[in-house]
């Protein structure tokens, strides 16, 4: 099946074994894995290098994910600069409850802003391993995915000409709104979607963290979250109506609501600062099955979006990237297709597990503010159980860390 025809004004076609669409954590990790094995690839990115190196998003990395980067020589800066977190704090009913998940499991999280990881991965891929990356590309299209000679075309931002690259495989790592969405027709893939019906005002504040660990505040006004990003910058979240306008949240309103929802006996007030990011996220998730369409292999948010409730998305993107990078090398250098054949199933187990945990955690975060006294009652019962039952705490810790594999 041909999804689109290459543009008629293409120059001479190019060739590369793999074309990676998207230079986020997934695409750049795959590119680095391929280059380390001397397999050529071309990474196509619609934004500029400066833009992706400054785009703030995630920050919480699971220990296994960092070990995977380290094994591939991609964690030198991270291990020097990231903070280790072993505890989180829940605040509800005006009290603070500490969950020492590091002690329960022997595992921890790493806190490292996504834009620093992307900066490290671009530098390693392009400047150290000599990888081909093309920024600012426009109108990426995929062709002949069902043949053994697929291709990708795009408009060059400098010449405005169409460029056509023939390849063996396409890695679709272009996030939730990329070019690979066009390929996801119902006859090729099932997209299961879940809308939480909740908005989060995602904030970045030029203010040092106000606590030594992540804080989850469950308040009748709505959920609030506090997550360190660096000694100077802290991410905060405030539950809000879906589709809310960030302009409804001037600086004063943001800080008074954060102080209220995260306030608890014995907790010092939050250190306030200038808000440098303020946007509303409508919380939703989806999973694409299978993650393979002909010669297109999806990875990361292109294949599954996880609302940032449990900080799982970047971790899943890295998990896919490790599996896909290794599978491509096995096929292209040894003719072993086992990894590619099993790729989708090998990813989806963890994907669905993380989706389920995010949904469970969403019930905890949002139950007390649901306006439904019955739901609020069962939410508080769950919360109390976390701190009364060591086995409930251990189960939470394992899922929060993604360590049960
Ligand atoms: P992306 O990072 O989205 O990268 C895709 C790339 O493709 C981008 O560079 C994009 O510019 C490019 N692209 C898009 N369209 C095209 C096109 N047509 N052609 C070429 N290139 C294209 N996850 C966690 O694990 N922990 C957290 O703490 C966490 N916090 C988050 C907080 C927020 C506010 C948000 C929004 C997300 C958070 N996430 C978190 C999720 C995480 O950021 C994503 O899951 C992660 O970025 C996915 O990586 P990716 O490589 O799959 O996609």
């Amino acid at each position: 099946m041909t999804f689109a025809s290459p543009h008629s004004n293409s120059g001479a076609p190019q060739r590369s074994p793999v074309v990676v669409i998207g230079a986020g954590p997934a695409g750049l990790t795959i590119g680095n894995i391929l280059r380390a094995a001397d397999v050529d690839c071309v990474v196509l990115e619609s934004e500029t290098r400066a833009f992706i190196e400054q785009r703030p998003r995630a920050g919480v990395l699971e220990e296994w994910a960092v070990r995977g980067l380290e094994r591939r020589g991609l964690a030198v800066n991270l291990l020097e600069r990231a903070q280790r977190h072993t505890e989180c704090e829940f605040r509800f009913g005006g009290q603070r409850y500490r969950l020492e998940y590091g002690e329960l499991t022997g595992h921890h999280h790493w806190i490292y802003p996504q834009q620093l990881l992307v900066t490290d991965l671009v530098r390693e891929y392009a400047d150290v391993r000599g990888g081909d990356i093309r920024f600012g590309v426009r109108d990426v299209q995929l062709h002949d995915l069902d043949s053994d000679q697929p291709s990708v075309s795009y408009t060059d931002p400098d010449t405005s000409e169409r460029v056509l690259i023939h390849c063996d495989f396409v890695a679709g790592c272009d996030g939730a709104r990329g070019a690979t969405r066009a390929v996801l027709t119902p006859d090729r893939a099932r997209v299961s979607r879940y809308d939480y019906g909740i908005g989060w005002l995602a904030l970045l504040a030029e203010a040092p963290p106000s606590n030594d660990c992540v804080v989850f505040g469950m308040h009748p006004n709505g959920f609030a979250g506090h997550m360190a990003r660096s000694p100077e910058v802290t991410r905060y979240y405030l539950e809000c109506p879906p589709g809310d306008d960030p302009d409804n949240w001037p600086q004063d309103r943001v800080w008074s609501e954060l102080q209220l929802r995260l306030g608890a006996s014995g907790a010092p007030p939050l250190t306030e600062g200038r808000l440098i990011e303020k946007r509303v996220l409508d919380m939703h998730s989806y999973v694409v099955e299978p993650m393979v369409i002909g010669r297109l292999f999806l990875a990361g948010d292109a294949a599954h979006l996880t609302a940032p409730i449990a900080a799982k998305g970047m971790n899943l993107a890295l998990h896919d990237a490790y599996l896909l990078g290794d599978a491509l090398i096995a096929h292209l250098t040894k003719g072993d297709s086992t990894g590619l054949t099993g790729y989708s199933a090998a990813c989806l187990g963890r994907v669905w597990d993380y989706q389920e945990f995010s949904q469970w955690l969403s019930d905890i975060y949002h139950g007390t503010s649901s306006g439904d006294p019955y739901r609020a009652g069962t939410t508080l019962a769950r919360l109390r159980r976390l701190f009364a039952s060591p086995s409930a705490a251990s189960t939470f810790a394992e899922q929060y860390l993604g360590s049960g594999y």
Side-chain angles (χ1 to χ4, degrees):
M1 179 176 175
T2 299
F3 289 96
S5 292
H7 210 277
S8 52
N9 67 348
S10 307
Q14 303 174 15
R15 176 152 183 94
S16 176
V18 182
V19 174
V20 177
I21 309 176
L28 289 167
T29 302
I30 292 168
N32 271 298
I33 294 173
L34 294 175
R35 285 306 305 139
D38 279 331
V39 172
D40 282 334
C41 67
V42 177
V43 177
L44 301 178
E45 167 58 49
S46 54
E47 302 289 352
T48 64
R49 180 167 182 170
F51 181 86
I52 64 165
E53 289 183 346
Q54 285 163 29
R55 178 171 50 196
R57 277 187 181 168
V60 181
L61 281 163
E62 296 175 358
E63 197 183 334
W64 62 265
V66 171
R67 262 203 314 274
L69 289 169
E70 189 182 7
R71 265 202 303 277
R72 292 164 175 89
L74 300 171
V76 177
N77 286 345
L78 186 157
L79 292 171
E80 265 174 27
R81 298 162 68 182
Q83 301 163 33
R84 282 161 72 108
H85 276 211
T86 57
E87 300 178 20
C88 60
E89 190 170 307
F90 289 76
R91 295 183 183 172
F92 56 95
Q95 302 298 318
R96 314 167 69 174
Y97 300 85
R98 200 88 165 178
L99 205 143
E100 297 175 346
Y101 57 80
E103 201 156 288
L104 287 168
T105 62
H107 295 292
H108 58 270
H109 282 120
W110 290 101
I111 306 296
Y112 193 59
Q114 180 167 334
Q115 67 273 28
L116 295 187
L117 179 63
V118 166
T119 301
D120 295 345
L121 293 173
V122 174
R123 185 178 305 131
E124 184 68 26
Y125 174 75
D127 306 340
V128 179
R129 300 187 186 182
D132 183 342
I133 182 163
R134 305 177 190 180
F135 291 101
V137 301
R138 299 200 309 269
D139 192 18
V140 171
Q141 293 181 25
L142 298 90
H143 315 281
D144 302 323
L145 293 175
D146 278 334
S147 76
D148 56 5
Q149 288 200 328
S151 58
V152 178
S153 64
Y154 67 93
T155 301
D156 183 304
D158 299 322
T159 63
S160 296
E161 279 199 357
R162 291 297 290 174
V163 178
L164 179 69
I165 312 175
H166 290 293
C167 57
D168 298 315
F169 296 99
V170 183
C173 309
D174 49 350
R177 290 184 204 86
T180 56
R181 307 306 294 167
V183 172
L184 304 181
T185 52
D187 55 321
R188 305 307 307 270
R190 181 177 64 195
V191 183
S192 313
R193 191 181 155 98
Y194 183 72
D195 278 299
Y196 285 89
I198 282 162
W200 274 15
L201 184 68
L203 304 151
L204 275 177
E206 244 171 19
S210 295
N211 201 49
D212 60 356
C213 66
V214 167
V215 183
F216 307 120
M218 274 62 65
H219 188 275
N221 280 16
F223 169 77
H226 157 288
M227 283 116 205
R229 283 296 185 255
S230 72
E232 301 84 26
V233 173
T234 307
R235 185 172 276 295
Y236 286 98
Y237 294 113
L238 277 170
E239 182 187 343
C240 64
D244 203 357
D245 183 346
D247 288 344
N248 291 336
W249 292 88
Q251 173 112 352
D252 287 355
R253 183 180 178 207
V254 164
W255 284 112
S256 72
E257 205 59 29
L258 284 170
Q259 299 284 10
L260 180 72
R261 296 188 196 181
L262 290 170
S265 167
L270 306 173
T271 307
E272 301 187 5
R274 191 169 70 91
L275 299 174
I276 51 176
E277 185 192 81
K278 192 171 65 169
R279 62 190 176 122
V280 170
L281 307 175
D282 286 343
M283 304 304 257
H284 67 277
S285 297
Y286 61 74
V287 180
V288 178
E289 293 174 291
M291 288 168 54
V292 181
I293 294 161
R295 288 288 179 117
L296 168 68
F297 288 71
L298 298 171
D301 281 9
H304 39 73
L305 189 75
T306 315
I309 290 167
K312 295 294 192 188
M314 181 161 65
N315 292 287
L316 284 177
L318 292 173
H319 184 248
D320 296 349
Y322 301 151
L323 292 176
L324 183 54
D326 292 347
L328 286 168
I329 288 171
H331 178 86
L332 291 166
T333 64
K334 296 186 216 129
D336 175 358
S337 299
T338 325
L340 288 180
T341 307
Y343 171 69
S344 183
C347 296
L348 285 166
R350 192 183 282 262
V351 167
W352 277 114
D353 221 21
Y354 282 20
Q355 294 286 346
E356 190 280 332
F357 179 61
S358 299
Q359 201 181 41
W360 180 88
L361 200 55
S362 171
D363 283 347
I364 290 220
Y365 286 168
H366 305 116
T368 54
S369 56
S370 63
D372 174 349
Y374 185 85
R375 221 185 120 190
T378 54
T379 299
L380 289 169
R382 275 192 192 177
L383 279 164
R384 284 193 300 270
R385 190 180 309 129
L386 268 188
F387 297 95
S389 156
S391 60
S394 292
T395 303
F396 169 86
E398 187 180 286
Q399 291 178 297
Y400 187 44
L401 286 156
S403 58
Y405 291 86

